[in-house]
């Protein structure tokens, strides 16, 4: 009842003083000077993911057993979770609030589990029809090109995907070894992307030589270049072309194509990045005795820690502060390498201390193979004249891969220099969206800044410490002679246990606290959400304070 | 949406007259969810005599018998006896009183009812002072606190009365403390009390933002920190006072963190806070020793 009962004379009163109705006539909302309201925010994991995956949402959906929607949530920003779930450097996890509490949520492992479920359920992938007449050419089928083609096809644009190699995938196929990313997984992921819409594949066609960029420019309404870095850098010493010395990436390519390779008994790998780690660990699996030579110390190695630690565990040896000075060849074949000892001098532009030779300190070691793995360069000779370039990379002006040519967009390593799979995916998607707007003459959306929550905004009293669930893996002792995938992935039980660790930062996950603690019973619990009844809310803000995840905000009344 | 974590039924509605963030109000809401509709309440003079609303309105759906300050336990006993006489042994009778009406003026009536082991639930919502009349000290007011009758120049220098030990001495079947920070626990304890015949005494720690000079939004937080700082231990006493169980499974926090946001403790110096901290720890250790001691004595059964 919302009417107040008032007795005009004592005759109207009951004989015994008894309650006849409730207090709803008393609209206590007028007491309020601050108003609470539901205000979901951006979780730090999402803010940390280069392609902006809605991580909180898909982890929540996992806890609800809705794998299909969880997978689809990822696909909205990343078409290959089975790939990133295996090889991503997961900056999301470095941003995860839980990292400041105990250990980050293993987002990467959850992503992989969902990616694998997507492979098991090919029906989840929506097939898009060609609904637009403008044609787009995508050059390069690494993560950048695949992502761009996927999101263009989703918008209904017919896409032609040019790839100079025999098969699609770029570094995913030729660089990253099978023990981290099995070929059959990659095949299925690439297959699903190509089949998802109007994508025509042209392999074995090198744009810039087999077909000119000008020709493509003429035939298509827009072009995306995801060329990556395909040329190995040389170390620049004599005899680098002798038998037994091969670029690391070339070795990986052979191994990844299933070719039987025998690098010999003793193998040296030069470099300290992820390519060097992949080359070393692959050579180990071919049965060699492997040593990595790096000109600085372990602290300066650009490879990610996990890779270095695993390489060590598997038996790769490391020589720091050493760099090849001379390759000694006998009858055109590698016999030994003379190394120069280095020491760390002043910091260089990257902030890392520059290695300088220690005068007269050298040593010599014999090897059957030497794999330089000191980085890759772009091969854009065929594009000069058409586009502005800088440092042998394609220059991009905006955040959507715009180049000096209105119709041509570029993204991935060819723009950023050596970066990562997820950054390439993000670049491909953003360009696809931008190309869509370019072709349909749509206006650029206005950027609304995200409010990202941090641990200080949250009420951690509701969380207790729980260790991260480790991903099961095959023992390091069993890796020789096989390229079997190391990480076997979460079981269903581990997946749920890890998903349960997510705090759902900034987004309501129906914990009931606000509803439960409201002293004024002013919060209604609906079927799918909660609702504050401002007729009665007194503005105590208990609901805001007790929300563990900062999904409510406040506003002063009268403003 | 997931299944609700506490019963959905609401017996306490909006529009009531409690201050913003009132813990006593949350306590009532949870208790009624546990006890359900077949419950009769007896409320003596206290904030709750006002909160529910003005005649002929009430925010509570169950009937409430408003009674004199010192009489909650005896009126509840009488109500229960009357119901029994009419053949109703199903209805739960709950006396619901403040700490003034329990620790002080209502103690005699409560002691009498407990000694006779009347079949009632007696809840003391403990906000640690006479709030309804404008924040006067009660025997439940903790050491160090400001009230209008213990001004900062002469703050309360006597410890809080140990009401739990007094009730345990009556050898009644069930005694518990609870806190508004733990609704599931309140609901569990109320539901348990409902099933036990005889006198059940439940003392619910219920912050009062107005009387504690506390920002209302911190009400639940204080109810939580009171527990995790060991200032207000959560316990259950069963087997007629012979078995004590103390809740220890929490992340401990400091006494200072609990006291700092409360204006009623603002005048305390560092040394005085140190003293209070030592006292809290000593009480906690005594409580654990008692738990152990009681556990080591073989029961009669
Ligand atoms: C050995 C190695 C391991 C790595 N491991 C990881 C890892 O674990 N995690 C991670 O995040 N990143 C890793 N990286 C980095 C990551 O692979 C790259 O950042 C990413 O692949 C870049 O994607 P992209 O699409 O820009 O280029 P790419 O993957 O290099 O793909 C470019 C594609 O374009 C094709 N192409 C080039 N020029 C032409 C042309 N003119 N015409 C037609 N086709 C052309 C190429 O053949 C290739 O298929 C690794 C890199 C290497 C070398
Ligand atoms: C015999 C008697 N003395 C004094 C009062 C005035 N009085 C009404 S409520 C109250 C304080 C109640 O304090 P407490 O029991 O702690 O409940 P709270 O108001 O804190 O909720 C007092 C002193 C009264 N109603 N009857
Ligand atoms: S706890 Fe969950 S929502 Fe929060 S940052 Fe980590 S993964 Fe994201
Ligand atoms: S807890 Fe209830 S009364 Fe307090 S601000 Fe929130 S909705 Fe309003
Ligand atoms: S307190 Fe819980 S139910 Fe309420 S908004 Fe926050 S997460 Fe959602
Ligand atoms: S004075 Fe305290 S106990 Fe009384 S209604 Fe206000 S907040 Fe509640
Ligand atoms: Mg009181």
């Amino acid at each position: 009842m919302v009417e107040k009962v008032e007795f005009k004379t004592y005759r109207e009163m009951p004989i015994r003083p008894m309650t006849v109705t409730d207090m709803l006539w008393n609209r206590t909302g007028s007491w309020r000077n601050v108003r609470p309201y539901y205000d979901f925010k951006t979780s730090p994991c999402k803010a940390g993911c280069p392609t902006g995956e809605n991580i909180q949402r898909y982890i929540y959906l996992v806890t609800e057993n809705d794998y299909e929607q969880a997978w689809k949530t990822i696909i909205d920003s990343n078409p290959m979770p089975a790939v990133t779930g295996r090889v991503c450097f997961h900056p999301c996890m470095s941003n995860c609030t839980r990292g400041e509490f105990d250990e980050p949520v293993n987002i990467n492992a959850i992503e992989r589990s969902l990616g694998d479920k997507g492979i098991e359920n090919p029906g989840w992938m929506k097939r898009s029809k060609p609904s637009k007449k403008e044609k787009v050419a995508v050059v390069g089928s690494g993560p950048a090109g695949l992502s761009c083609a996927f999101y263009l096809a989703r918008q209904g644009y017919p896409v032609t995907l040019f790839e100079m190699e025999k098969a699609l995938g770029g570094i995913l196929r030729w660089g990253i070894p099978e023990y981290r990313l099995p070929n059959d997984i990659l095949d299925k992921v690439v297959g699903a992307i190509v089949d998802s819409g109007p994508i025509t594949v042209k392999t074995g066609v090198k744009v810039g030589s087999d077909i000119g960029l000008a020709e493509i420019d003429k035939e298509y309404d827009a072009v995306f270049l995801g060329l990556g870095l395909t040329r190995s850098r040389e170390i620049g010493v004599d005899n680098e072309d002798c038998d037994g010395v091969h670029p690391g990436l070339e070795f990986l390519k052979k191994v990844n194509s299933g070719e039987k390779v025998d690098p010999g008994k003793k193998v040296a790998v030069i470099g300290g990045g992820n390519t060097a780690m992949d080359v070393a660990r692959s050579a180990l699996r071919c049965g060699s005795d492997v040593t990595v030579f790096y000109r600085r110390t372990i602290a300066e190695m650009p490879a990610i820690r996990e890779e270095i630690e695993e390489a060590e565990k598997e038996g790769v040896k490391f020589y720091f502060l050493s760099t090849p000075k001379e390759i000694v060849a006998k009858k055109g074949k590698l016999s030994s390498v003379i190394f120069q000892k280095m020491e760390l001098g002043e910091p260089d532009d990257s902030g890392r201390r520059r290695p300088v030779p220690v005068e007269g300190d050298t040593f010599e070691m014999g090897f059957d193979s030497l794999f330089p793995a000191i980085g890759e360069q772009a091969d854009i000779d065929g594009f000069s004249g058409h586009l502005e370039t800088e440092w042998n990379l394609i220059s991009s002006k905006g955040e959507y891969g715009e180049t000096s040519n209105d119709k041509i967009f570029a993204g991935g390593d060819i723009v950023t220099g050596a970066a990562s799979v997820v950054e390439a995916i993000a670049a491909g998607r953003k360009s696809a969206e931008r190309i869509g707007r370019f072709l349909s003459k749509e206006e650029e959306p206005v950027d609304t800044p995200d409010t990202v929550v941090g641990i200080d905004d949250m009420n951690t009293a509701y969380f207790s410490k729980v260790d991260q669930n480790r991903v099961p893996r095959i023992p390091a002792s069993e890796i020789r002679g096989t390229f079997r995938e190391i990480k076997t992935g979460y079981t269903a039980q581990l997946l749920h246990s890890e998903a349960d660790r997510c705090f759902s930062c900034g987004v309501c996950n129906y914990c009931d606290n606000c509803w439960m603690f409201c002293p004024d019973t002013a919060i209604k619990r609906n079927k799918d959400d909660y609702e504050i009844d401002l007729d009665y809310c007194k503005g105590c803000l208990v609901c805001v304070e007790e929300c563990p995840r900062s999904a409510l905000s406040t506003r002063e009344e009268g403003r | 949406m997931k299944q609700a974590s506490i019963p959905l039924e609401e017996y306490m509605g909006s529009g009531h007259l409690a201050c913003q963030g009132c813990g006593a109000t949350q306590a009532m809401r949870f208790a009624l969810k546990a006890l359900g509709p077949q419950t009769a309440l007896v409320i003596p003079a206290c904030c709750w005599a006002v909160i529910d609303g003005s005649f002929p309105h009430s925010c509570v759906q169950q009937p409430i018998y408003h009674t004199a300050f010192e009489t909650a336990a005896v009126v509840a006993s009488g109500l229960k006896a009357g119901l029994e006489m009419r053949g109703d042994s199903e209805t739960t009778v709950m006396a619901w009183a403040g700490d003034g009406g329990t620790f002080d003026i209502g103690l005699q009536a409560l002691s009498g009812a407990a000694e006779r082991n009347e079949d009632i639930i007696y809840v003391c919502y403990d906000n640690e002072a006479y709030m309804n009349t404008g924040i006067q000290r009660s025997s439940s007011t903790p050491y160090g606190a400001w009230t209008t009758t213990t001004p900062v120049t002469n703050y309360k220098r006597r410890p809080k009365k140990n009401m739990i030990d007094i009730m345990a001495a009556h050898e009644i079947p069930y005694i518990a403390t609870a806190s508004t920070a733990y609704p599931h626990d309140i609901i569990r304890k109320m539901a348990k009390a409902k099933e036990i015949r005889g006198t059940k005494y439940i003392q619910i720690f219920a912050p009062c933002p107005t009387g504690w000079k506390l920002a209302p939004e911190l009400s639940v937080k204080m109810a939580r920190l009171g527990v995790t700082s060991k200032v207000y231990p959560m316990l259950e006493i069963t087997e007629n006072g012979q078995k004590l169980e103390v809740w220890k499974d929490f992340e401990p926090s400091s006494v200072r963190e609990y006291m700092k946001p409360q204006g009623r403790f603002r005048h305390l110096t560092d040394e005085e806070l140190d003293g209070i901290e030592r006292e809290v720890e000593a009480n906690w250790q005594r409580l654990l020793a008692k738990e152990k001691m009681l556990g080591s004595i073989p029961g009669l059964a």
Side-chain angles (χ1 to χ4, degrees):
Chain A
M1 265 251 272
V2 271
E3 291 304 303
K4 187 176 183 177
V5 176
E6 275 173 287
F7 304 118
K8 287 184 192 74
T9 71
Y10 74 91
R11 278 175 221 283
E12 288 180 24
M13 289 173 77
I15 296 170
R16 267 168 297 165
M18 272 175 50
T19 299
V20 298
T21 186
D22 53 38
M23 286 292 286
L24 294 180
W25 58 269
N26 186 29
R27 297 180 193 265
T28 51
S30 61
W31 302 15
R32 187 180 60 241
N33 45 33
V34 195
R35 164 189 303 211
Y37 63 98
Y38 290 99
D39 178 26
F40 300 169
K41 304 177 183 76
T42 304
S43 43
C45 48
K46 180 171 195 268
C49 171
T51 193
E53 282 180 21
N54 196 343
I55 293 161
Q56 170 281 327
R57 171 115 197 109
Y58 71 69
I59 296 184
Y60 172 76
L61 288 165
V62 168
T63 68
E64 292 282 275
N65 279 311
D66 194 346
Y67 299 139
E68 181 173 351
Q69 286 310 321
W71 181 83
K72 286 182 170 161
T73 303
I74 305 183
I75 294 302
D76 284 342
S77 37
N78 169 7
M80 48 182 102
V83 170
T84 47
R86 286 177 165 80
V87 307
C88 187
F89 302 146
H90 42 73
C92 53
M93 286 172 64
S94 323
N95 244 27
C96 173
T97 315
R98 184 119 208 173
E100 288 170 71
F101 185 76
D102 47 19
E103 291 181 284
V105 174
N106 199 337
I107 300 167
N108 194 235
I110 296 174
E111 183 181 67
R112 168 183 165 170
S113 296
L114 288 171
D116 287 353
K117 289 192 194 300
I119 291 177
E120 287 158 26
N121 295 280
W124 289 354
M125 181 72 94
K126 193 184 75 190
R127 268 160 227 281
S128 20
K129 297 212 159 56
S131 58
K132 307 262 173 46
K133 59 176 199 318
E134 295 90 353
K135 295 182 298 173
V136 187
V138 171
V139 185
S141 69
L146 285 172
S147 162
C148 190
F150 178 77
Y151 291 107
L152 282 167
R154 255 194 164 196
Q155 298 173 60
Y157 291 107
V159 175
T160 307
L161 179 59
F162 293 93
E163 168 56 55
M164 65 182 185
E165 298 287 350
K166 298 185 299 289
L168 307 183
I171 297 287
L172 304 179
R173 181 165 303 279
W174 312 117
I176 300 179
E178 281 222 73
Y179 60 85
R180 295 206 286 128
L181 175 58
N183 279 343
D184 64 316
I185 298 284
L186 181 64
D187 287 343
K188 286 175 185 153
V189 168
V190 171
I193 290 174
V194 171
D195 290 345
S196 73
I199 300 174
T200 311
V201 173
K202 294 206 166 151
T203 47
V205 183
K206 186 171 181 181
V207 176
S209 54
D210 299 334
I211 171 171
L213 184 60
E215 222 171 300
I216 289 204
D217 195 1
K218 213 182 304 151
E219 199 175 322
Y220 294 88
D221 299 284
V223 183
F224 176 80
L225 302 176
L227 308 173
L229 310 175
T230 45
R231 259 188 204 157
S232 292
R233 247 184 252 271
E234 296 182 344
I235 16 182
V237 295
D238 284 348
N239 290 332
E240 208 169 332
D241 54 357
C242 78
D243 205 9
V245 181
H246 302 281
L249 205 53
E250 209 169 278
F251 165 69
L252 286 175
K253 198 167 174 177
K254 281 195 184 145
V255 173
N256 281 357
S257 339
E259 238 179 82
K260 195 112 190 77
V261 233
D262 179 13
K265 251 199 126 33
K266 291 198 71 187
V267 169
V269 179
I270 314 298
N274 288 310
T275 309
M277 296 305 103
D278 282 342
V279 171
R281 295 172 70 190
S282 295
L284 207 66
R285 283 166 169 76
C286 294
S288 307
D289 176 28
V290 186
T291 312
V292 170
F293 294 86
Y294 180 53
R295 58 197 183 126
R296 304 190 221 223
T297 73
I298 189 162
E300 288 83 22
M301 276 177 77
I304 58 170
R305 290 296 109 177
E306 192 186 333
E307 292 290 310
I308 303 171
E309 279 160 22
E310 285 189 12
E312 256 182 334
K313 225 186 287 166
E314 291 173 1
V316 171
K317 284 173 284 192
F318 288 87
Y319 263 73
F320 296 106
L321 294 166
S322 335
T323 194
K325 185 179 157 76
E326 208 184 310
I327 291 171
V328 184
K330 285 199 179 124
K331 291 188 205 138
K333 176 154 183 14
L334 166 73
S335 82
S336 68
V337 183
I338 300 171
F339 290 94
Q340 168 72 54
K341 280 300 280 181
M342 312 291 276
E343 63 187 357
L344 292 180
E346 292 303 304
D348 64 8
D349 293 345
S350 71
R352 295 180 305 171
R353 291 174 65 190
R354 196 191 304 270
V356 287
V358 183
E359 215 46 64
D361 194 352
T362 59
F363 62 97
E364 185 172 353
M365 286 170 93
F367 290 104
D368 300 305
S369 284
L370 174 72
F371 297 126
I374 56 166
E376 291 76 35
Q377 283 171 312
D379 173 8
I380 49 171
D381 303 343
F383 298 84
S384 48
H386 290 274
L387 290 171
E388 262 177 41
T389 59
E390 199 181 347
W391 301 107
N392 197 35
L393 297 171
I394 297 178
S395 314
S396 167
K397 292 164 190 22
E399 54 174 313
Y400 299 107
E402 300 93 329
T403 67
S404 54
N405 180 326
D406 279 356
K407 273 178 64 181
I408 303 181
F409 298 78
D413 281 1
I414 191 65
V415 170
T416 55
S420 68
V421 172
V422 67
E423 285 164 281
I425 290 171
R429 179 171 57 75
K430 285 182 187 160
S431 283
E433 290 165 2
R434 179 69 179 78
I435 290 169
R437 291 192 292 270
F438 167 73
L439 294 177
S440 61
K441 303 195 170 50
E442 238 174 81
E443 272 189 38
E444 286 301 292
V446 256
D447 251 357
T448 40
D450 291 338
T451 314
V452 182
V453 295
I455 190 128
D456 296 337
D457 307 315
M458 303 187 13
N459 189 340
T460 54
Y462 294 95
F463 306 133
S464 42
K465 303 224 179 327
V466 185
D467 286 346
Q468 190 188 80
N469 292 287
R470 308 282 167 219
V471 180
R473 52 179 67 218
I474 59 170
S477 55
E478 285 176 23
I479 59 112
R480 291 209 182 228
T482 164
F483 278 80
R484 221 170 92 206
E485 188 172 19
I486 302 173
K487 295 186 184 173
T488 52
Y490 274 161
T491 59
Q493 188 261 324
L494 287 172
L495 171 64
H496 278 266
S497 160
E498 193 58 19
D500 285 340
R501 291 182 71 242
C502 174
F503 289 163
S504 184
C505 307
V507 183
C508 176
N509 69 351
Y510 315 114
C511 78
D512 278 344
N513 273 7
C514 52
W515 165 72
M516 196 160 64
F517 283 118
C518 174
D520 288 280
T521 324
I523 298 183
K524 301 272 165 301
R525 191 181 193 275
N526 298 330
K527 208 174 129 282
D528 296 311
D529 63 357
Y530 304 86
E531 195 184 322
I532 297 173
D533 189 343
L534 292 171
D535 278 349
Y536 300 103
C537 162
K538 289 173 185 161
C540 69
L541 306 186
V542 163
C543 51
V544 180
E545 180 69 28
E546 293 310 315
C547 176
R549 38 198 62 83
S550 190
L552 288 122
S553 297
T554 63
R555 185 190 309 137
E556 267 180 58
E557 287 297 352
R559 298 220 169 179
Chain B
M1 202 186 297
K2 296 173 188 164
Q3 214 191 330
S5 48
I6 59 170
L8 280 170
E9 295 76 21
E10 296 292 359
Y11 300 103
M12 188 197 84
S14 307
H16 60 66
L17 303 177
C19 312
Q20 294 161 321
C22 174
T25 313
Q26 295 165 320
M28 178 67 92
R29 188 169 164 229
F30 303 145
L32 294 179
K33 278 177 185 278
L35 297 181
Q38 205 172 339
T39 305
L41 278 71
V42 174
I43 299 186
C46 61
C47 274
W48 250 106
V50 175
I51 294 171
D52 72 323
S54 52
F55 171 72
H57 313 90
S58 167
C59 71
V60 169
Q61 282 177 29
Q62 289 87 340
I64 300 178
Y65 193 98
H66 284 283
T67 178
F69 199 11
E70 60 274 42
T71 65
V74 67
V75 171
S77 306
L79 189 58
K80 181 70 192 179
L83 289 167
E84 293 278 0
M85 296 275 284
R86 284 169 36 167
D88 173 359
S89 51
E90 291 299 304
T91 302
T92 304
V93 176
M94 171 167 72
W96 183 271
D99 48 290
T102 304
F103 288 55
D104 295 342
I105 195 169
L107 185 58
Q108 176 278 133
L110 173 58
S111 177
E115 192 276 331
R116 295 188 301 275
N117 201 21
E118 299 284 357
D119 189 15
I120 58 169
I121 298 177
Y122 187 106
V123 174
C124 168
Y125 67 93
D126 186 5
N127 54 22
E128 304 191 318
Y130 292 72
M131 296 310 181
N132 184 47
T133 40
I135 323 169
Q136 294 82 23
R137 128 206 232 283
S138 78
S139 56
S140 170
T141 303
Y143 180 95
W146 160 92
T147 64
T148 55
T149 47
T150 50
V152 291
T153 48
N154 197 12
Y155 63 77
K156 186 170 173 187
R157 287 199 167 79
R158 289 289 298 157
K160 182 185 176 94
K161 186 190 274 182
N162 190 339
M163 191 63 196
I164 297 298
D165 272 6
I166 293 174
M167 292 316 292
H170 287 76
E171 302 188 7
I172 52 173
Y174 187 62
I175 298 169
T177 56
S179 155
T180 54
Y182 304 101
H184 306 92
D185 186 55
I186 295 186
I187 288 169
R188 178 181 67 81
K189 286 169 177 167
M190 294 303 303
K192 188 167 169 181
K194 186 182 169 177
E195 299 309 318
I196 297 171
R197 299 278 72 84
T199 307
K200 288 79 65 176
Y201 177 76
I202 299 176
Q203 187 173 300
I204 306 179
F205 186 44
C208 165
T210 309
W212 293 9
K213 296 185 178 251
L214 174 75
E217 68 266 29
L218 298 183
S219 176
V220 172
K221 186 175 185 185
M222 289 305 112
R224 178 168 56 244
L225 292 180
V227 173
T228 54
S229 64
K230 304 171 184 166
V231 167
Y232 212 107
M234 293 292 99
L235 54 83
E236 280 182 283
I237 301 176
T238 48
E239 299 176 13
N240 297 324
Q242 306 312 311
K243 187 176 176 199
L244 167 66
E245 285 167 281
V246 182
W247 185 51
K248 307 171 207 75
D249 184 22
F250 52 80
E251 195 71 42
S253 61
S254 79
V255 173
R256 278 178 158 80
E257 194 191 346
Y258 164 66
M259 293 191 140
K260 215 163 167 220
Q262 302 182 39
R264 63 174 175 156
F265 297 121
R266 191 165 301 142
H267 53 278
L268 296 174
T269 63
D270 261 340
E271 294 81 75
E272 285 163 332
L273 287 169
D274 287 343
I276 290 171
E277 250 166 28
R278 279 195 297 274
E279 196 50 40
V280 165
E281 186 55 31
N283 280 339
W284 176 255
Q285 292 306 334
R286 272 194 282 273
L287 187 64
L288 297 187
K290 197 179 289 176
E291 181 184 36
K292 220 167 157 188
M293 184 271 284
L294 285 173
S296 70
I297 299 171
L300 292 177

